[in-house]
Amino acid sequence: MNSDSEVIPIETDVLVIGGGLAGCMAGIKASEYGVKVTIAEKANTLTSGCAGTGIDHTWAYIPPIHEKMGWCIEDLMEDHIQGIAHGFINKELLYLVASENYERVLDLEKFGVNFRFDDSKVPGKFRIVPQFHSVPSSFNFDGRPIKVKLTKEAERRGVNIINRVMITDLLSTDGHVSGALGVGTRDGKFYSFKSKAVVLCTGRVNRLSRIVSGVWGNHRLPVYETGDGRTMALRAGVPIINTEFFSPALFMIGNYEISFGVPRAEVQPAGSITGPNGEIIVPRTYFYDWENLGKEKWTSEVRRKWMAQRRADRPPYPEMYKQGKGPFYLDLTGGTEEEIKYAEWSVSNEGDGFRFLDYLKNQEKFDFRKDKIELLPNSREMAGTAASGLAVNKDLETELKGLFAAGDEVGGLPWQASSGAFTMGWHAGEMAAKQTREQKGFLPVGEEKLASLRELCADMLSSKEGLHWGEVELAVQNIVDYYAGDVRAEEMLKRGIERLDDIKGNISFRAENTHELVRCLEVRSVIDNAVMVMRTSLERKESREVPFKFYRADFPEQDDENWLSFLALKLEEGAFKFSKIPIK
Amino acid sequence: MFRPVVFNEEVCNGCNTCVDICPMDILAPNPEKGKPPIVMYPEECWYGGGCWARCPLRDEGAIQIITPLPMRVSILRGDR
């Protein structure tokens, strides 16, 4: 690649940026409206996104089960609002997810994903597990090949999938999105898209913090997600919310950094957490007792008490560790054969779990019937709990007309998980496609941004004094970990921002080839995301322990009167502007 | 430092499925047709296992992921 690399012009009615679960769903749905749909993907949709190598769980309101039990959608919503988000949630978006995910599950079945199991004792043959809510909303499925099936469905419908293109910039014309620019990660060409609507689905930012094991890339979440969407949206003047809630580390299957897809590292069924002498710290879980379930309706009062009790039963692992109470072990030794078989199926069906189980059994000769795995700290992350992302309206459209977002790109919805990707992707695809039908031609696109992207890449590729991307990334991670760690305070954050600005303003990158150029562009995203974390951490003048673990030493109390709001950050003429979006 | 992905030259037929799907793009096709891919950027592996999981000759042992020592889990053996 060189400074006069070829430009590939592409015109498409709907451009989906990022082909993970949300992006594939958006592309599939948009294709139903007779418009031209393109998915631009940095890697390959067959294995990209958080579910690239599989996902085994989702949550939904399931009418055939829940209606029979006397539960309505509002019960499930209240469970999520109280138990997971502690009131800190966009309720309109939550309704979209809670009310539509069952229909999306039925659609996914049509695309060949299996959700039903003959050994299930539950109506509809779902494998329901106790997970997200007190309402039995969560269920396992055969999701290891889901990205293959979604890719095939999108292709069958004529969606144009362009793999190996990293989008770096959004284009806008008079307050309306008009396209995007990207770099081919292998061919080194520039890609210039003209489009009538854009659905942004690039996921989370997973490289803000050092990896605890010291093995680069060994994160619970895929490290190819570098918050590219948030940075291009920020530069396009779109507000981003909740970026201050960058979380401390979890205790999970440390070293290997795998979550088993289960909060609190509890493996169902039969997984308990035990201490150094076998004492039980968290009792083993059980499947739901379907004979008795639903006989007693949980009121919001009962649910709140149950949640509070669950939290009171034990302090978080990092706290117990500080009290010298470790080590802690994941312990399935009390499980029956049937339960252990199920647990192994569940472990191997999600994310890197397939490979993890193979490693455990073949390399370590591990046996769940007698051996235990120690829980260790995972790396810090922009967790699902944080729910940071773009500020959108109920139709998932941002302040920039024609720019939609879905899945983890959307802010304000803690633990929407795969349910959010399925429903929001679908909805955003529909809204974007419908909107493009009202627009006659493509909007004119200026050449300035392409020229500046060309210049940026040329500088990186020709630099002699510039630094390797890995060197810059480590310096940025050190700053985030020190100044925006478990404790934050005004002067510390100000110093951290100064140091980040220094790197951003004075450090240049060096790339030997196109592959390294892409890594440099990713680290540029990581720096911008780090700035967002620090700036919003400085602006939020309160602490919010649950569920965000956000602690300001100089404002140790939670201040609902002034701060029960999403904090939005946007760029206006080069300056950061903050605003509060009250939670309705 | 680490050798995350190791191919068995006897088994791997160089189909390059793993090269196509690696999300970190750390693999490159072997210039010699039919030979295993080259691990160009081993230090950028994220250990997700997609290459291994989707390998058509996985069960025959064409591809292996070697878990680095600092990543290996801490196991409390039941028989100790």
Side-chain angles (χ1 to χ4, degrees), chain A residues 19-21 24 41-54 144-149 151 163-164 222 224-225, chain B residues 17-25 46 48-55:
Chain A
L21 289 183
C24 285
E41 161 63 49
K42 185 162 74 173
N44 183 322
T45 60
L46 291 169
T47 47
S48 65
C50 271
T53 39
R144 196 187 300 153
I146 191 166
K147 288 302 309 296
V148 178
K149 304 214 165 176
T151 299
N163 289 318
R164 306 291 175 190
Y224 40 84
E225 292 183 17
Chain B
T17 300
C18 52
V19 179
D20 285 344
I21 62 175
C22 172
M24 296 304 292
D25 212 8
W46 93 281
C51 54
W52 171 84
R54 303 270 165 80
C55 173

Side-chain angles (χ1 to χ4, degrees), chain A residues 182-467:
Chain A
V183 175
T185 69
R186 287 184 176 175
D187 62 19
K189 292 174 183 169
F190 293 105
Y191 285 73
S192 175
F193 292 90
K194 277 187 173 183
S195 71
K196 296 173 184 169
V198 169
V199 185
L200 206 48
C201 312
T202 70
R204 301 181 194 183
V205 45
N206 297 332
R207 266 156 58 188
L208 280 169
S209 198
R210 271 195 315 267
I211 301 290
V212 287
S213 70
V215 182
W216 192 93
N218 174 33
H219 196 286
R220 185 178 82 90
L221 298 161
V223 294
Y224 40 84
E225 292 183 17
T226 45
D228 306 337
R230 293 150 195 235
T231 57
M232 68 180 94
L234 185 77
R235 286 199 298 273
V238 172
I240 320 286
I241 59 171
N242 287 352
T243 55
E244 66 273 34
F245 299 134
F246 181 59
S247 308
L250 302 160
F251 264 66
M252 283 207 186
I253 311 303
N255 293 4
Y256 203 97
E257 301 239 355
I258 182 171
S259 70
F260 284 4
V262 179
R264 301 180 300 155
E266 290 156 28
V267 172
Q268 289 125 6
S272 61
I273 307 297
T274 52
N277 299 305
E279 68 274 27
I280 290 171
I281 291 168
V282 180
R284 61 157 290 175
T285 47
Y286 289 89
F287 280 127
Y288 284 111
D289 175 4
W290 286 96
E291 300 306 315
N292 293 308
L293 198 65
K295 285 189 178 155
E296 182 198 357
K297 180 149 190 267
W298 286 40
T299 62
S300 55
E301 189 58 26
V302 172
R303 193 170 293 123
R304 262 195 294 274
K305 275 187 189 158
W306 179 77
M307 292 285 183
Q309 188 59 47
R310 256 187 14 166
R311 281 195 300 279
D313 280 343
R314 62 154 188 88
Y317 296 112
E319 227 165 279
M320 288 196 292
Y321 157 75
K322 280 179 196 157
Q323 295 162 2
K325 290 188 179 155
F328 313 108
Y329 298 95
L330 170 66
D331 184 346
L332 268 80
T333 56
T336 63
E337 278 302 307
E338 190 194 5
E339 286 170 333
I340 285 170
K341 213 176 120 200
Y342 181 90
E344 288 185 347
W345 171 84
S346 175
V347 168
S348 74
N349 220 25
E350 165 149 322
D352 43 1
F354 183 35
R355 151 75 190 132
F356 178 71
L357 191 68
D358 182 77
Y359 149 74
L360 262 191
K361 290 190 139 179
N362 295 322
Q363 193 174 340
E364 304 290 0
K365 309 291 175 208
F366 181 89
D367 186 350
F368 276 116
R369 290 155 194 86
K370 54 187 177 66
D371 304 325
K372 303 172 190 177
I373 307 177
E374 185 174 356
L375 300 189
L376 293 163
N378 272 14
S379 302
R380 300 170 71 211
E381 63 181 68
M382 190 59 101
T385 333
S388 60
L390 275 59
V392 295
N393 67 16
K394 65 175 171 39
D395 287 328
L396 303 169
E397 192 173 13
T398 67
E399 272 184 13
L400 180 62
K401 190 102 178 93
L403 177 67
F404 297 81
D408 281 336
E409 198 81 86
V410 168
L413 210 44
W415 288 130
Q416 35 87 7
S418 62
S419 315
F422 297 149
T423 54
M424 286 193 270
W426 199 260
H427 195 75
E430 178 179 348
M431 291 295 136
K434 282 182 176 166
Q435 203 184 82
T436 63
R437 293 194 301 193
E438 293 157 20
Q439 193 182 320
K440 288 267 162 15
F442 293 102
L443 293 168
V445 170
E447 289 294 314
E448 308 81 30
K449 280 198 174 173
L450 179 60
S452 92
L453 176 63
R454 199 186 268 284
E455 194 184 339
L456 176 76
C457 295
D459 284 351
M460 289 174 174
L461 286 163
S462 63
S463 171
K464 294 202 167 53
E465 281 79 44
L467 303 181

Side-chain angles (χ1 to χ4, degrees), chain A residues 92 116 159 306 528 541:
Chain A
E92 271 178 347
R116 325 264 180 167
V159 174
W306 179 77
D528 286 344
K541 293 176 175 58

